[in-house]
Amino acid sequence: MSSHLLPAECAGHSVGTFNTLVNTLLQALLTAQCAISAPELWPLDYAEEALKHGLDMYDFVIVGAGSAGSVIASRLSENPNWKVLVLEAGGDPPTESEVPALFYALEHTNGTWNYWTEHSDKACLAWTKSRCYWPRGKMLGGSGAVNAMLYVRGHRGDYDGWAQAGNTGWGWDDVLPYFERSVQPSGSKEQPQGYVTLNDFPVHDEDIEQMIFQGAAELGLARVREFAEGSEIGYANLPGTFQNGKRSTTAKSYLSTVSKRANLHIIKNARVTKLNFDEIGRNVRSVSFTLQSKHEMNVNIGKELVLSAGAIETPKLLMLSGVGPAQHLNQLKIPLINDLHIGDNMQDHVYVMTFMKLNEHKARAWTTLDSLDSIYNYLIHEKGPLSSHNTVSLTGFINTLKKSAYPDIEYHHFIIRRGDFAGLNIFLTGLSINEQFRAQLLKALETSDILGVYNILLNPKSIGNIRLRSSEFIEPPIIRHNYLTEPEDEATLLRAIRFQERVLNTLAYESMNANFLLPTIDECDVYELRSDEYWSCYIKYFSTTLYHPVGTVKMAPEMDETSCVNPRLRLNDCNNVRVVDASIMPKIPSANTNAATIMIAEKAADFIREDWLNEE
């Protein structure tokens, strides 16, 4: 690399040797940056071949290469006699997706669907537009390429509840083998090779972790190695879907590793616009999609269409194609194919963010040198703070009523060190907190470390829905979260905050001079600080999504009038459409949802194999 990388006045003061050394370093850094998300990490794009030669019929067409779609494509293409096509609306993940510490930097970008919910006076009032920002992944890996990479299954009660609702084959004992299969390190004919790579995140904030674990212990909550049957309550560091300092999505682990199979094609930047049914509406004959935002194409389906576009795009696509609530589709003049409760039953883990100041006027200030060291360590050694995601993996599960062995609240923690204004800005921009409250938090960071605590409602009673805004596929849907419309939800979150008040009184937290950081909120400050009335008002402002929408294409027995897919995930009254993603969940699990989504796809792959091999 030439010395032109250096300013002329700087290069002119060197006889040349040191310029060469510095430019060698710069070359190494740039090469390392390019390698983070290099093209060879990802499947080849079949788009140009499709444009040049058209598309033949495929046995299976999969919409979406996210956490579920990548699994399905990998498993179905194990059969060399089946031709499999994946249509993904986005492209390869950007560098920021691969770097664990930068997951908040992916929001508000072209790598995400940037949805905003409808206004509500019960949640998100501290956010821009006083609405909740709901990003979803639009790239290989889907939302698994923008999430916090945490892997936790949920518990027996979650899945036994699915089975008790009539979903035969979905109890804990039924789904556990599929969780295990997905991460199985070695395979056999009876137990296929697993692909999910799990590792413990490196810890770079030992003092904060020690404070949180010790504070929980003072309140009688154990530190557990993993959340497994019999140990559903306590605090632990969750494992993550990452390896060697980089994110590991199912698009990388399941799909890229097998993408050279002759019977598997992946088309990127392919946005599906409509499912084309036959005259009687019992089979989808083809799928229409736009390629690279300008080419309109169709692909015919030989055996089955698999919808894995996620809990927002899957119901949207079904409704655009005439499958959904009859009254709603009639209003938009969309010809009705099938009257189903598509878009209903939407559930999400709403949480309330509380903030704590630590070591005010005593905390060591973060410096530019710290940032530079972090960047260098990551690029050259794949280590350092950028190789982790802060303290987010440190997770607590508690039951606020102490009436159950299962949790009703989950806690995540996010530390920002004093003076790390760039880090706090990435965090606040990702969350979409408005300028008024952003300024207050940035001011507090001048003198203190700030610990953000996510108080997460695990078993929401409030149910939202999704509807079309128009019959045009380009329009974002109408998302009504309906957070906190059921009083029990707010009551549980209030108990969660009261638990944090108890945490603040522990010796561990007192040793770090921990106190609530309460932003000025005119509406709330008329009440006594930390009274029930105050916290109830605060919750309206600092509540939002944990990015876990599910349930919008509900799985239930067909005799259940709210059913959209049956327990084998076939779309009701349709012979060749299966839905395989988080939208089928009848009830949200008491945990982050990515592990469960992967499990669903593994189980669905068996359904598909069984159904079609029996016919062949």
Side-chain angles (χ1 to χ4, degrees), residues 253-293:
S253 59
Y254 276 88
L255 194 60
S256 291
T257 55
V258 305
S259 61
K260 293 183 180 179
R261 289 173 179 164
N263 62 329
L264 173 62
H265 293 150
I266 298 101
I267 300 181
K268 306 171 189 178
N269 300 300
R271 184 169 183 179
V272 176
T273 58
K274 189 179 181 184
L275 316 181
N276 302 306
F277 284 84
D278 61 17
E279 291 182 358
I280 60 173
R282 300 289 291 185
N283 291 278
V284 171
R285 294 305 185 193
S286 68
V287 169
S288 299
F289 63 97
T290 61
L291 182 55
Q292 301 165 356
S293 301

Side-chain angles (χ1 to χ4, degrees), residues 513-572:
N513 193 27
N515 288 288
F516 275 124
L517 167 56
L518 300 176
T520 299
I521 310 172
D522 291 343
E523 180 184 355
C524 305
D525 291 345
V526 300
Y527 302 109
E528 179 183 353
L529 289 182
R530 293 168 54 175
S531 64
D532 284 356
E533 293 81 5
Y534 173 84
W535 284 126
S536 179
C537 181
Y538 181 97
I539 287 170
K540 293 192 304 183
Y541 279 81
F542 283 94
S543 51
T544 191
T545 177
L546 197 65
Y547 316 116
H548 296 165
V550 307
T552 49
V553 187
K554 180 182 178 181
M555 173 177 66
E558 292 187 52
M559 68 281 295
D560 182 337
E561 66 175 15
T562 66
S563 171
C564 298
V565 297
N566 67 21
R568 292 184 71 82
L569 307 188
R570 283 192 181 275
L571 185 67
N572 290 348

Side-chain angles (χ1 to χ4, degrees), residues 245-540:
K246 296 180 183 178
R247 182 189 296 269
S248 181
T249 65
T250 58
K252 184 185 290 184
S253 59
Y254 276 88
L255 194 60
S256 291
T257 55
V258 305
S259 61
K260 293 183 180 179
R261 289 173 179 164
N263 62 329
L264 173 62
H265 293 150
I266 298 101
I267 300 181
K268 306 171 189 178
N269 300 300
R271 184 169 183 179
V272 176
T273 58
K274 189 179 181 184
L275 316 181
N276 302 306
F277 284 84
D278 61 17
E279 291 182 358
I280 60 173
R282 300 289 291 185
N283 291 278
V284 171
R285 294 305 185 193
S286 68
V287 169
S288 299
F289 63 97
T290 61
L291 182 55
Q292 301 165 356
S293 301
K294 55 186 177 183
H295 305 287
E296 296 184 2
M297 299 192 72
N298 281 278
V299 59
N300 294 324
I301 297 163
K303 297 184 183 298
E304 190 165 311
L305 170 69
V306 180
L307 293 179
S308 297
I312 297 177
E313 283 296 309
T314 287
K316 178 186 171 185
L317 181 56
L318 285 168
M319 287 188 282
L320 285 171
S321 305
V323 179
Q327 182 177 4
H328 176 58
L329 299 187
N330 288 338
Q331 289 172 342
L332 295 177
K333 295 181 171 54
I334 296 174
L336 181 67
I337 299 293
N338 195 353
D339 182 8
L340 294 176
H341 285 260
I342 303 295
D344 295 342
N345 189 50
M346 187 173 71
Q347 300 159 58
D348 185 26
H349 288 141
V350 63
Y351 76 91
V352 177
M353 178 66 77
T354 52
F355 302 94
M356 296 179 184
K357 293 188 292 184
L358 306 178
N359 293 322
E360 190 167 15
H361 300 295
K362 297 179 181 179
R364 173 189 174 276
W366 183 266
T367 68
T368 301
L369 185 59
D370 292 318
S371 296
L372 294 175
D373 283 345
S374 178
I375 296 167
Y376 177 85
N377 204 6
Y378 185 79
L379 286 174
I380 301 303
H381 302 294
E382 298 179 332
K383 294 180 179 179
L386 288 174
S387 69
S388 185
H389 56 10
N390 200 274
T391 51
V392 174
S393 67
L394 203 174
T395 302
F397 285 100
I398 73 167
N399 186 285
T400 58
L401 293 174
K402 299 184 179 179
K403 293 182 178 180
S404 172
Y406 297 133
D408 60 358
I409 286 291
E410 178 181 9
Y411 296 108
H412 290 314
H413 309 82
F414 196 92
I415 185 69
I416 302 289
R417 294 298 190 174
R418 175 186 176 185
D420 184 9
F421 299 107
L424 183 56
N425 267 313
I426 290 173
F427 177 60
L428 298 178
T429 299
L431 287 179
S432 298
I433 288 179
N434 69 30
E435 289 298 328
Q436 172 191 351
F437 298 111
R438 181 196 299 259
Q440 295 183 52
L441 293 166
L442 287 167
K443 180 67 176 177
L445 195 66
E446 295 177 1
T447 56
S448 306
D449 295 335
I450 296 179
L451 180 67
V453 181
Y454 305 66
N455 301 262
I456 304 159
L457 181 69
L458 289 177
N459 305 303
K461 302 299 184 293
S462 304
I463 305 297
N465 63 59
I466 290 177
R467 292 292 184 264
L468 298 177
R469 197 170 300 275
S470 79
S471 60
E472 298 296 324
F473 77 89
I474 202 69
E475 289 283 341
I478 297 170
I479 303 173
R480 299 184 182 93
H481 56 69
N482 290 344
Y483 292 150
L484 308 174
T485 52
E486 293 293 332
E488 184 177 338
D489 289 348
E490 182 182 316
T492 304
L493 285 169
L494 178 57
R495 293 195 300 272
I497 296 173
R498 292 298 185 200
F499 178 83
Q500 289 300 317
E501 290 182 327
R502 294 176 59 205
V503 166
L504 278 174
N505 292 327
T506 63
L507 294 176
Y509 278 68
E510 287 180 352
S511 70
M512 298 190 75
N513 193 27
N515 288 288
F516 275 124
L517 167 56
L518 300 176
T520 299
I521 310 172
D522 291 343
E523 180 184 355
C524 305
D525 291 345
V526 300
Y527 302 109
E528 179 183 353
L529 289 182
R530 293 168 54 175
S531 64
D532 284 356
E533 293 81 5
Y534 173 84
W535 284 126
S536 179
C537 181
Y538 181 97
I539 287 170
K540 293 192 304 183

